[in-house]
Amino acid sequence: MSYYKNYEDEETQTSPENMEESYGSDEDYERDQENADILDSLFEDDENGVLSEEDGEAEQDYAAEAPEARQSQEGTTVITKGTIINGSIISDCSLDVMGTINGDIECLGKLSISGKVTGNSMASEVFVDTDRLEGSINSEGCVKIAQKTVVIGDVTASSGVIAGAVRGAVDISGPVVIDSTAVIQGDIKAMSVQVNNGAVLDGHVSLSYATGVDIDTVFEAK
């Protein structure tokens, strides 16, 4: 729609005779026509905008989706290989440690350690696949210790799979699988324990998390 042209058509249409009376010369008339074209183009830009209406809606949709997209892309903080951090880390997202951290780690998301960590680790889930980790591991969910990984510290979680070596107490409130390559020096407390042939255990095993059994009443004299 052309605002200025419509106004001109309705209000200022004139015959050739009236044009001569309205404008002192052809030069004045041409100048006014140029101004009219400029104003008309400005009205069109104001109506249509820089983008079309459909493009504007697409841009709004993208702006609305962009934070979620950024969140999915930036939901994991990566400590790259070669990076050394001396101090504790607290993160509200997942953490992938490929470098070296000399300090405690606490994150609300998943924690993956393939670098070197000297300190306690706490996360919703923990996966350790490194040569050596010195410090305790506390996971609200599952903990996985890969083959050839050595952990010097206690391990606490709701479920677990241990294929590496652990020197420390293992406290799992749910089930735990001790793989054939595992070496554990310390007591194990869990709801259930699956020990694959070839695993080495040096410590006591307690299934006291098993529900429905009151140990004290079982041995009471009747």
Side-chain angles (χ1 to χ4, degrees):
M1 178 180 179
S2 177
Y3 293 95
Y4 187 85
K5 286 182 178 178
N6 286 346
Y7 175 81
E8 182 184 38
D9 292 340
E10 295 174 3
E11 301 294 338
T12 62
Q13 286 183 353
T14 56
S15 62
E17 293 80 5
N18 292 335
M19 289 182 184
E20 293 179 357
E21 296 177 359
S22 301
Y23 297 95
S25 64
D26 293 338
E27 183 178 353
D28 293 336
Y29 175 79
E30 291 176 359
R31 184 178 62 252
D32 285 349
Q33 285 298 107
E34 290 177 359
N35 293 336
D37 293 337
I38 293 173
L39 288 173
D40 190 67
S41 65
L42 292 175
F43 279 118
E44 289 178 352
D45 289 341
D46 182 67
E47 179 186 12
N48 298 327
V50 177
L51 298 175
S52 66
E53 184 177 358
E54 294 179 355
D55 292 338
E57 292 176 356
E59 185 180 35
Q60 291 176 358
D61 293 340
Y62 171 79
E65 295 175 359
E68 297 179 0
R70 287 195 298 270
Q71 184 176 3
S72 63
Q73 294 173 358
E74 301 174 1
T76 300
T77 300
V78 179
I79 308 299
T80 58
K81 186 176 181 180
T83 301
I84 300 176
I85 297 177
N86 294 316
S88 300
I89 294 180
I90 299 177
S91 174
D92 60 355
C93 62
S94 298
L95 194 61
D96 190 352
V97 180
M98 301 179 187
T100 301
I101 297 179
N102 298 314
D104 297 337
I105 300 174
E106 181 179 351
C107 70
L108 299 180
K110 299 179 181 180
L111 174 61
S112 176
I113 301 175
S114 58
K116 183 178 180 181
V117 174
T118 303
N120 301 325
S121 301
M122 180 183 296
S124 61
E125 292 184 14
V126 180
F127 173 67
V128 184
D129 185 7
T130 185
D131 294 337
R132 188 179 184 88
L133 186 150
E134 297 184 6
S136 64
I137 298 174
N138 193 326
S139 173
E140 295 179 359
C142 181
V143 61
K144 297 179 181 179
I145 300 175
Q147 185 178 353
K148 297 182 180 180
T149 295
V150 176
V151 175
I152 309 298
D154 298 337
V155 176
T156 304
S158 60
S159 63
V161 177
I162 300 176
V166 177
R167 175 178 286 178
V170 177
D171 190 337
I172 307 294
S173 60
V176 59
V177 176
I178 310 300
D179 207 357
S180 59
T181 57
V183 177
I184 298 178
Q185 188 177 46
D187 295 341
I188 299 176
K189 182 180 179 181
M191 178 181 291
S192 64
V193 177
Q194 175 184 321
V195 181
N196 295 339
N197 188 29
V200 178
L201 300 180
D202 183 12
H204 299 285
V205 176
S206 171
L207 303 182
S208 57
Y209 282 121
T211 58
V213 178
D214 188 347
I215 297 176
D216 293 334
T217 59
V218 171
F219 295 100
E220 286 180 355
K222 297 181 181 179

